[in-house]
Amino acid sequence: MNHARIGTLAAAVAATALVLTSCSTADGGSAGSDGGDDAVAITDVNIVVPADPGGGWDQTGRALSQLLTQEDIVGSAPVTNVGGAGGTVGLAQLANEKDPATLMVMGLVMVGAVETNASAVRIEDMTPIARLTDEPLVVVVPADSEYDTLEDLVEDVVDKGQEVTITGGSAGGADHILAGLLLEEAGLDGAEIAEKLNYTPNSGGGEATSLILGGKVSAGISGVGEFLQHIEAGTMKALAVSSEEPVTQLPDVDTITDSGYDVVLTNWRGVIAPGGISDAERAELERLVTELEASDAWKDELETRGWADAFLTGAEFDEFLDGNIAEVTATLQNIGLVG
């Protein structure tokens, strides 16, 4: 069997945009994209989440908002949700942003959504700042579902096709990719996957949760952190997680590999800035997120959420992002999710 891995999970299917509204030179002057390499200082942050409330991007944005201010890294960090098209609406907004002190929190979900939405604005046009987190996905069904194992669910999709409905995050995102990879491992080719997979995308985790709890879909896929409380409450049944090893929060739930499908998929989240900002502006944005990542408060948040620390900046994040975009694009083509 093919061993499938898309990136590293630190997330997310998505995405979250941070707009840092106060950017000034160290001596008090204004610093735009042509402001040279003089030191800059960012004092306030506006966080725009390019998804509806309730999902991993929203959780990430609100954690950033709370902790950036709690740790006195910035003075204020209000959050605004701007949902749409797997974060590509937010990406287009970032491309038009004139303030160089602007960050977007994004990840694997947006990488896939750029391809499935044929977005004219691409992540490569922006400035990478940091990879932050990594999170396994979990496949769940309603508590009273007939499915007791992942194999039960996958075999029913193969047999009944569109009669079996699966929900998750944005089209082309981590959840959608995982569903396609499971069917590929079950022996279907790209055309067969496109024909049989009945996937309902959502702009936020809250919508997917409502569909699952209401018995409107057969199954759901999302980050462990988004479904954990419902699994613990007994209103959802977890079939498998997408990590290499069982996750701490769900120690009794098998991995997908243990369930017979050679698939490991991780959902990472990170931050990017507008293209064309100065080296000094990029360095200051990197400083902010590096200071946050080093704090005990951030480490506690990672443990609470079940997010792994996957921190990368500079050339290492540049290289990772380029490779992830190429790998996700090829995978989407192979499993029939894009032409």
Side-chain angles (χ1 to χ4, degrees):
M1 290 185 178
N2 294 324
H3 188 73
R5 176 189 299 276
I6 309 298
T8 350
L9 214 292
V13 133
T16 320
L18 282 175
V19 183
L20 310 180
T21 55
S22 178
C23 180
S24 60
T25 59
D27 62 3
S30 175
S33 59
D34 59 351
D37 290 333
D38 292 340
V40 299
I42 292 168
T43 58
D44 296 287
V45 180
N46 290 325
I47 302 178
V48 181
V49 178
D52 294 336
W57 288 353
D58 188 57
Q59 291 174 354
T60 301
R62 293 181 189 279
L64 287 167
S65 172
Q66 177 184 346
L67 299 180
L68 282 168
T69 53
Q70 177 182 306
E71 297 300 299
D72 294 325
I73 298 171
V74 298
S76 65
V79 177
T80 303
N81 291 83
V82 182
T88 56
V89 172
L91 187 64
Q93 179 174 301
L94 186 68
N96 293 322
E97 178 58 59
K98 302 304 181 185
D99 187 346
T102 302
L103 282 175
M104 173 181 288
V105 180
M106 44 69 71
L108 176 60
V109 169
M110 184 177 287
V111 173
V114 165
E115 302 305 324
T116 56
N117 288 284
S119 175
V121 178
R122 298 190 59 85
I123 297 167
E124 297 94 320
D125 301 326
M126 307 305 166
T127 303
I129 298 299
R131 189 181 71 185
L132 297 174
T133 62
D134 182 50
E135 183 183 22
L137 306 176
V138 60
V139 182
V140 302
V141 294
D144 60 355
S145 172
E146 63 183 304
Y147 305 124
D148 292 319
T149 68
L150 183 64
E151 185 179 18
D152 291 340
L153 173 64
V154 173
E155 288 187 348
D156 222 27
V157 176
V158 172
D159 292 341
K160 299 179 181 177
Q162 296 279 319
E163 293 180 30
V164 183
T165 53
I166 300 174
T167 193
S170 303
D175 309 336
H176 197 180
I177 290 172
L178 181 58
L181 289 173
L182 287 171
L183 295 182
E184 183 181 47
E185 279 292 301
L188 303 186
D189 62 25
E192 290 171 324
I193 293 170
E195 177 186 349
K196 288 180 176 288
L197 179 57
N198 186 351
Y199 182 84
T200 302
N202 297 282
S203 296
E207 295 177 6
T209 297
S210 295
L211 290 173
I212 298 163
L213 295 180
K216 305 296 185 183
V217 293
S218 306
I221 302 173
S222 193
V224 169
E226 295 180 45
F227 289 158
L228 182 60
Q229 69 183 59
H230 304 289
I231 296 168
E232 292 177 336
T235 53
M236 290 183 187
K237 181 166 47 176
L239 301 184
V241 293
S242 67
S243 48
E244 289 190 41
E245 302 292 337
V247 300
T248 303
Q249 301 93 327
L250 300 170
D252 298 326
V253 177
D254 287 343
T255 66
I256 289 173
T257 302
D258 289 339
S259 299
Y261 302 93
D262 192 14
V263 174
V264 175
L265 178 66
T266 60
N267 181 24
W268 64 271
R269 300 183 184 109
V271 290
I272 57 176
I277 67 173
S278 71
D279 290 346
E281 288 157 353
R282 176 175 180 171
E284 172 67 354
L285 297 176
E286 289 181 348
R287 185 195 67 77
L288 287 178
V289 295
T290 299
E291 185 175 346
L292 176 65
E293 188 272 339
S295 70
D296 289 340
W298 182 250
K299 292 176 173 58
D300 289 343
E301 186 72 18
L302 296 182
E303 183 175 355
T304 299
R305 295 288 184 182
W307 299 338
D309 190 340
F311 195 67
L312 287 178
T313 59
E316 288 184 319
F317 184 44
D318 294 350
E319 182 179 356
F320 165 80
L321 187 55
D322 288 343
N324 191 245
I325 290 169
E327 190 173 7
V328 169
T329 301
T331 299
L332 288 168
Q333 292 170 345
N334 291 342
I335 61 180
L337 299 185
V338 298

